[in-house]
C-alpha cells in the first residue's frame, strides 16, 4: 500500500511527559508559576500525561492557557473543587511522603464519583466468575477492557475513566485473557458488537492486539458481527498507523477483520477541529480506511474546548471531508472535573441544534447531546411547552431494558441541570417511567430474555 508519506514532514519517536518530566518541555519552561503549581497539584489527583506530538503539533502555545488542546491535556487549577485543591496543595507543601500524598489523593478521588453511570453494575458473571474486564449494559453490545490497553498516548483532562490510570487497582476494569470473553459470547448470542476500550486499546503493540482480536474471528462466534475499537490515537498519536514499527501489521490486522466479513468500526475521539489538521492524522485516516474499516467520531461537549456551535459545525465538516462519520455528541459524565467542563443540558442542546442547522445533510449523522447515565444513553431532544408548562424533552437511545429505546419522556424545565439526576419528572409525576424497573434491574431481581425482551423474574 503506497501512501504519500512525503506529506509528513517529520516522523516522530514517541515521547511521553508526566509529572516527573513535564518541566523538560521547552514551552512549559516559559509558563507562569501559577500554571506550574496547578499542574503539580491537580496532577497528583487526576491523571496527567501528554506527548511530543500533542505538545509540538497540536497546542498553540501563544494561546496558553486558553488554547483548547492545552486545556484538554494539561491540568488546570479549576479542574479540582477549591477545597480539594487546597487539601492537596497543603499535603504537597507539608512535604509528606509519597505514600501519604497518595493517601490524600485517594481520599479526594473517592469524592469524585469514580464509577459514574453505574459502571460497576455492568460487570457480568460467567457461572460463578465475575468478569472484571467486561461490561454488558446493553443487549447487543459488550465492552472489553484488555489489561495491556489500560493507558493512553495522552490523557484527556475530562476523562470519565480516570480511575483506570491513577493506581487505584480496585477501581480498574481489565482482563488479560480472552478465553472467558469468548465463552461468554457463546452463551450470549444476543451480543452482536464487541467494543475494545480502556484506556486505549491502540497503545498495544499489534501482536498483543492480534491475540485479543483473532479469537473473535472464529466461525463459532457467528453472532459477533461488529468489532469496535474505541481510541483517541488518531488525535494523539497518528504515527501508530504510519511510521511506528508495527504500523503495517496493525493495518494488516484491520484488513483481516474486514475480509472475515466483520464490520470494523474504529470509534475515533476528536474533541476539536485542530486535531484534524495535521498531515499525520490525515495520512493515518487514509491508511485505516484503506483496510475497509469505518471510522466514526465522537466527543463530549466541553466548556472551554468546543462549547460553540461553529466549532462543532467545522469539526463535523472536516470529519466528513476526511470520509469519517460523525456519531455522538456526549454530555460530560458526572465524575472527575465535570464541574469544570460540563454545560447545562439546555445550553448543550442549543449548541447542538445551531451546529446541526449549519451543517449539511451528510454531516447530520451525529446524535446528541447524549448522557451515558445509569439507565442508558439519554438524548436531550429540546424544550417545549405543553399545556402551558415549559418542559425538557428527552428520549432513550440505549437502555438497560431494550423496550425503553426510542421512548420520549419529559422533565421539568431546568436551565441549570447538567445531569439526569438533577432533573424532575414533568406534569407532577413522582418518578420517571423507568425508575422502578431500573431499581429492579440494578438489584438483580429482573433480567431480560435476549430474544423476546420479556422480563424474567430472577429472585423473589
Amino acid at each position: 500500500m503506497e501512501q504519500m508519506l512525503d506529506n509528513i514532514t517529520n516522523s516522530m519517536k514517541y515521547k511521553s511527559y508526566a509529572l516527573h518530566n513535564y518541566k523538560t518541555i521547552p514551552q512549559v519552561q516559559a509558563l507562569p508559576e501559577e500554571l506550574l503549581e496547578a499542574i503539580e497539584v491537580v496532577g497528583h489527583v487526576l491523571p496527567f500525561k501528554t506527548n511530543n506530538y500533542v505538545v509540538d503539533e497540536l497546542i498553540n502555545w501563544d494561546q496558553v492557557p486558553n488554547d483548547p488542546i492545552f486545556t484538554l491535556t494539561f491540568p488546570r487549577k479549576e479542574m479540582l473543587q477549591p477545597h480539594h485543591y487546597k487539601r492537596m496543595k497543603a499535603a504537597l507543601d507539608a512535604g509528606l511522603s509519597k505514600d501519604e500524598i497518595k493517601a490524600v489523593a485517594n481520599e479526594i478521588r473517592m469524592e469524585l464519583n469514580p464509577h459514574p453511570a453505574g459502571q460497576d453494575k455492568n460487570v457480568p458473571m460467567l457461572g460463578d466468575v465475575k468478569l472484571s474486564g467486561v461490561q454488558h449494559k446493553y443487549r447487543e453490545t459488550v465492552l472489553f477492557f484488555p489489561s495491556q490497553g489500560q493507558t493512553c498516548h495522552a490523557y484527556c483532562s475530562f476523562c470519565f475513566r480516570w480511575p483506570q490510570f491513577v493506581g487505584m487497582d480496585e477501581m480498574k476494569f481489565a482482563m488479560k485473557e480472552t478465553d472467558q470473553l469468548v465463552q461468554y459470547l457463546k452463551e450470549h448470542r444476543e451480543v452482536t458488537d464487541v467494543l475494545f476500550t480502556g484506556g486505549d486499546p491502540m497503545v498495544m503493540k499489534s501482536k498483543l492486539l492480534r491475540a485479543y482480536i483473532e479469537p473473535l474471528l472464529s466461525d463459532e462466534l457467528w453472532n459477533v458481527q461488529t468489532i469496535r475499537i474505541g481510541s483517541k490515537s488518531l488525535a494523539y498519536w497518528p504515527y501508530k498507523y504510519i511510521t511506528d514499527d508495527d504500523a503495517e501489521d496493525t493495518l494488516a490486522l484491520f484488513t483481516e477483520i474486514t475480509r472475515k466479513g466483520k464490520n470494523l468500526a474504529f470509534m475515533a475521539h476528536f474533541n476539536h477541529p485542530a486535531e484534524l489538521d495535521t498531515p499525520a492524522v490525515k495520512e493515518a485516516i487514509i491508511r485505516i480506511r484503506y483496510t475497509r474499516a469505518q471510522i466514526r467520531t465522537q466527543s463530549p461537549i466541553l466548556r472551554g474546548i468546543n462549547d460553540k456551535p461553529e466549532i462543532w459545525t467545522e469539526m463535523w465538516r472536516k470529519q466528513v471531508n476526511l470520509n469519517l462519520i460523525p456519531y455522538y455528541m456526549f454530555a460530560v459524565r458526572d465524575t472527575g472535573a465535570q464541574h469544570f467542563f460540563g454545560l447545562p443540558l439546555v445550553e448543550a442542546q442549543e449548541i447542538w441544534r445551531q451546529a446541526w442547522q449549519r451543517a449539511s445533510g451528510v454531516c447530520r449523522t451525529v446524535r446528541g447531546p447524549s448522557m451515558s447515565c445509569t439507565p442508558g444513553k439519554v438524548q436531550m431532544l429540546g424544550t417545549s411547552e405543553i399545556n402551558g408548562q415549559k418542559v425538557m424533552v428527552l428520549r432513550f437511545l440505549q437502555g438497560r431494558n431494550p423496550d425503553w429505546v426510542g421512548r420520549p419522556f419529559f422533565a421539568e424545565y431546568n436551565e441549570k441541570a447538567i445531569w439526569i439526576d438533577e432533573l424532575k419528572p414533568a406534569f407532577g409525576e413522582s418518578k420517571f417511567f423507568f425508575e422502578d424497573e431500573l431499581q429492579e434491574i440494578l438489584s438483580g431481581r429482573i433480567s431480560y430474555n435476549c430474544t423476546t425482551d420479556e422480563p424474567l423474574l430472577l429472585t423473589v
Side-chain angles (χ1 to χ4, degrees):
M1 178 175 62
E2 245 181 82
Q3 301 294 346
M4 296 181 293
L5 283 173
D6 55 337
N7 286 341
I8 300 170
T9 56
N10 294 301
S11 62
M12 289 189 178
K13 183 175 177 59
Y14 177 79
K15 180 175 176 59
S16 66
Y17 298 101
L19 280 182
H20 71 282
N21 68 340
Y22 78 96
K23 288 184 179 179
T24 65
I25 301 172
Q27 297 94 323
V28 165
Q29 294 171 13
L31 295 180
E33 187 59 37
E34 59 266 26
L35 288 182
L36 296 177
E37 177 194 284
I39 292 171
E40 291 285 338
V41 175
V42 180
H44 273 87
V45 178
L46 297 174
F48 165 49
K49 182 170 74 172
T50 189
N51 66 57
N52 48 327
Y53 173 76
V54 174
V55 166
D56 294 332
E57 300 291 329
L58 298 184
I59 295 175
N60 181 347
W61 289 92
D62 292 334
Q63 298 298 319
V64 170
N66 297 319
D67 177 75
I69 310 301
F70 178 83
T71 301
L72 186 61
T73 52
F74 278 79
R76 300 275 298 273
K77 181 176 183 178
E78 299 80 6
M79 291 176 189
L80 288 183
Q81 296 283 7
H83 62 289
H84 288 151
Y85 188 93
K86 183 178 179 180
R87 195 191 317 176
M88 178 50 67
K89 185 176 185 302
L92 295 172
D93 288 346
L96 299 184
S97 70
K98 185 177 179 180
D99 287 344
E100 290 171 323
I101 289 172
K102 184 177 180 180
V104 172
N106 284 343
E107 289 174 3
I108 296 172
R109 289 164 180 161
M110 292 305 296
E111 297 176 18
L112 301 180
N113 191 21
H115 274 331
Q119 289 186 93
D120 54 333
K121 303 294 186 181
N122 306 336
V123 179
M125 302 291 291
L126 182 63
D128 296 330
V129 178
K130 188 174 184 179
L131 302 183
S132 59
V134 175
Q135 290 188 25
H136 191 184
K137 181 176 180 180
Y138 307 127
R139 178 182 55 192
E140 298 88 356
T141 305
V142 157
L143 278 62
F144 182 61
F145 296 75
S147 58
Q148 291 93 337
Q150 299 315 304
T151 185
C152 300
H153 293 99
Y155 293 148
C156 296
S157 45
F158 66 83
C159 183
F160 74 92
R161 291 221 177 102
W162 57 268
Q164 299 283 100
F165 317 129
V166 294
M168 300 175 73
D169 291 342
E170 70 279 9
M171 293 291 172
K172 271 192 175 184
F173 299 104
M175 186 181 291
K176 291 182 179 180
E177 306 296 338
T178 56
D179 293 350
Q180 291 175 322
L181 172 65
V182 169
Q183 185 60 37
Y184 184 82
L185 295 173
K186 288 179 180 178
E187 295 182 13
H188 291 266
R189 296 295 185 177
E190 74 273 23
V191 176
T192 59
D193 293 35
V194 176
L195 169 59
F196 284 78
T197 185
D200 191 329
M202 297 315 302
V203 301
M204 290 188 288
K205 288 293 186 179
S206 60
K207 184 177 179 180
L208 283 172
L209 183 62
R210 181 180 293 276
Y212 282 114
I213 287 181
E214 282 187 337
L216 306 187
L217 304 183
S218 165
D219 292 339
E220 290 185 285
L221 292 180
W222 48 264
N223 51 307
V224 177
Q225 301 170 32
T226 295
I227 294 174
R228 307 187 201 178
I229 299 175
S231 179
K232 183 73 180 180
S233 56
L234 276 174
Y236 281 170
W237 190 251
Y239 294 99
K240 170 70 177 176
Y241 311 98
I242 308 171
T243 55
D244 277 9
D245 56 12
D246 65 340
E248 295 301 329
D249 190 55
T250 297
L251 297 171
L253 174 61
F254 288 1
T255 300
E256 289 172 31
I257 296 169
T258 59
R259 284 183 177 170
K260 190 67 178 178
K262 307 286 187 183
N263 171 36
L264 176 57
F266 191 101
M267 317 303 287
H269 297 247
F270 290 106
N271 307 121
H272 191 273
E275 297 171 319
L276 294 154
D277 286 341
T278 69
V281 69
K282 294 175 182 178
E283 177 67 21
I285 288 169
I286 290 172
R287 288 176 157 240
I288 292 175
R289 291 197 65 253
Y290 191 83
T291 71
R292 297 170 58 192
Q294 292 180 345
I295 304 177
R296 296 177 181 266
T297 63
Q298 53 195 28
S299 171
I301 181 167
L302 302 158
R303 188 171 298 283
I305 291 177
N306 56 26
D307 55 346
K308 295 180 173 57
E310 55 268 25
I311 294 177
W312 282 91
T313 304
E314 179 187 358
M315 186 158 59
W316 294 336
R317 183 72 260 178
K318 285 183 176 181
Q319 289 167 359
V320 168
N321 288 349
L322 292 167
N323 292 292
L324 314 182
I325 304 170
Y327 188 51
Y328 264 119
M329 172 200 278
F330 289 112
V332 178
R333 292 206 194 188
D334 55 336
T335 184
Q338 186 204 38
H339 66 279
F340 178 78
F341 288 109
L343 282 79
L345 294 168
V346 170
E347 183 181 350
Q349 198 279 331
E350 181 60 22
I351 291 171
W352 180 89
R353 189 181 71 85
Q354 291 185 28
W356 213 65
Q357 284 179 342
R358 300 175 188 185
S360 71
V362 294
C363 299
R364 292 180 181 175
T365 53
V366 68
R367 296 178 291 182
S370 169
M371 293 175 282
S372 288
C373 48
T374 301
K377 283 190 173 72
V378 175
Q379 181 183 19
M380 169 67 179
L381 287 172
T383 59
S384 186
E385 188 169 309
I386 300 175
N387 294 331
Q389 182 176 344
K390 194 171 185 180
V391 296
M392 298 166 67
V393 186
L394 306 104
R395 70 168 176 176
F396 277 91
L397 296 173
Q398 282 279 25
R400 288 185 184 269
N401 176 355
D403 188 54
W404 300 346
V405 175
R407 293 179 62 175
F409 61 100
F410 304 93
E412 292 180 1
Y413 182 79
N414 183 343
E415 65 181 12
K416 295 182 180 180
I418 294 178
W419 202 246
I420 192 168
D421 59 7
E422 300 172 64
L423 300 179
K424 296 180 180 179
F427 314 123
E429 297 290 332
S430 60
K431 297 178 182 179
F432 291 115
F433 78 90
F434 55 85
E435 288 193 62
D436 286 341
E437 193 172 9
L438 175 64
Q439 291 308 310
E440 295 289 284
I441 294 170
L442 296 179
S443 69
R445 287 175 54 84
I446 291 180
S447 184
Y448 281 87
N449 185 291
C450 64
T451 56
T452 67
D453 292 340
E454 292 296 323
L456 300 174
L457 186 63
L458 298 183
T459 59
V460 178

